Amino acid sequence: MRVLGLLGGMSWESTAIYYRLLNEGVRARMGGLHAASLLIWSPDFAPIAELQRDGDWPALARQLSLAGQHLKQPGAGALMICSNTMHCLHEAIGQAAGIPVIHIADATGDALQRAGCKNPLLLATRFTMEREFYAERLHSRFGIVAMIPDEDARRGIHRIIYEELCRGIIRDESRRYYRDVIRKMQAEGADSVILGCTEITMLITQDDTALPLFDTTAIHAGAGVSWILD
């Protein structure tokens, strides 16, 4: 069994879900008392969120690159960044650590492609929806064209993530807001939904839409299990 390093705590709410899914996945495949071999770096998220707001991505790259190096030293053979947004730094982190980064968009793109979905709605932080690193990777590698909500919807989606989900707050009003965005984008041609922020899985499930739902947290964790065991 190989050792996987997790860059988590962004926020810890979704990292806890990663930890459970990775261990459940290994146990399901190996049985008995088996569990995932993991090393976890989980920082205080508040300073990271502040650097995100300020757009200081070089500082974040330095911090996460150092964390990746620290996980490699005790034996991590690959890294998983437990955040869609922070994958904008995956190249710098992987190069600094000298080990592979299992990319969340690649695992998601593969799942979308196998399902025959070509125009998914991307629900995520404003950073992920508005910067090109995520949608461009889906398009260039998998031929998938992600649909992005309008400015008002992006603002509302982002606010719910940072002010509620990252703090463990689940509100029916916010669930209805996301459902409304999904319905609007379905009418505009979306054929599926990407939960492109690892915290959204706490709020939205397949029961909330008739469109195929792609939970990046679960998909990414599944890729991590495959790497650990295969």
Side-chain angles (χ1 to χ4, degrees):
M1 186 184 299
R2 296 190 285 187
V3 179
L4 179 62
L6 303 184
L7 295 174
M10 299 173 282
S11 68
W12 71 261
E13 298 284 351
S14 62
T15 305
I17 300 172
Y18 268 94
Y19 183 76
R20 174 177 58 80
L21 292 175
L22 286 162
N23 281 293
E24 287 178 349
V26 169
R27 182 172 62 188
R29 288 181 56 176
M30 297 193 68
L33 297 176
H34 286 289
S37 294
L38 303 172
L39 294 169
I40 303 176
W41 174 79
S42 185
D44 179 9
F45 184 49
I48 289 177
E50 185 174 344
L51 290 170
Q52 290 176 337
R53 287 194 301 269
D54 293 342
D56 196 347
W57 301 101
L60 288 165
R62 290 191 296 271
Q63 185 174 353
L64 269 69
S65 294
L66 183 60
Q69 292 170 352
H70 287 166
L71 291 176
K72 179 186 178 182
Q73 290 171 3
L79 297 174
M80 288 181 65
I81 305 169
C82 302
S83 161
N84 283 273
T85 294
M86 299 309 288
H87 275 75
C88 67
L89 305 174
H90 87 279
E91 289 187 6
I93 295 167
Q95 289 174 1
I99 53 178
V101 176
I102 301 171
H103 202 293
I104 196 168
D106 290 346
T108 302
D110 182 63
L112 285 158
Q113 194 173 66
R114 284 188 279 108
C117 296
K118 299 182 179 298
N119 298 107
L121 162 62
L122 176 60
L123 298 175
T125 67
R126 292 193 68 161
F127 310 118
T128 303
M129 290 187 287
E130 295 177 357
R131 300 182 72 188
E132 294 184 356
F133 71 95
Y134 201 93
E136 174 56 31
R137 193 174 183 97
L138 289 175
H139 184 255
S140 63
R141 294 194 170 213
F142 302 96
I144 291 166
V145 179
M147 298 182 65
I148 308 298
D150 63 26
E151 170 70 20
D152 287 343
R154 295 197 300 271
R155 186 182 303 112
I157 292 164
H158 184 92
R159 183 197 64 78
I160 289 167
I161 291 169
Y162 278 85
E163 295 183 10
E164 297 177 19
L165 301 181
C166 287
R167 304 179 187 192
I169 300 169
I170 308 299
R171 300 175 64 215
D172 287 338
E173 179 182 353
S174 296
R175 183 176 292 110
R176 288 192 295 270
Y177 184 89
Y178 273 60
R179 285 174 175 171
D180 288 344
V181 173
I182 292 170
R183 281 193 292 268
K184 178 181 178 182
M185 296 303 291
Q186 182 178 6
E188 295 183 13
D191 63 6
S192 52
V193 180
I194 299 173
L195 302 186
C197 170
T198 54
E199 283 82 15
I200 299 178
T201 186
M202 300 162 59
L203 184 68
I204 297 297
T205 69
Q206 187 62 72
D207 291 338
D208 293 299
T209 177
L211 292 177
L213 195 72
F214 293 85
D215 177 356
T216 58
T217 307
I219 292 168
H220 201 203
V225 170
S226 294
W227 183 89
I228 290 169
L229 297 180
D230 296 342

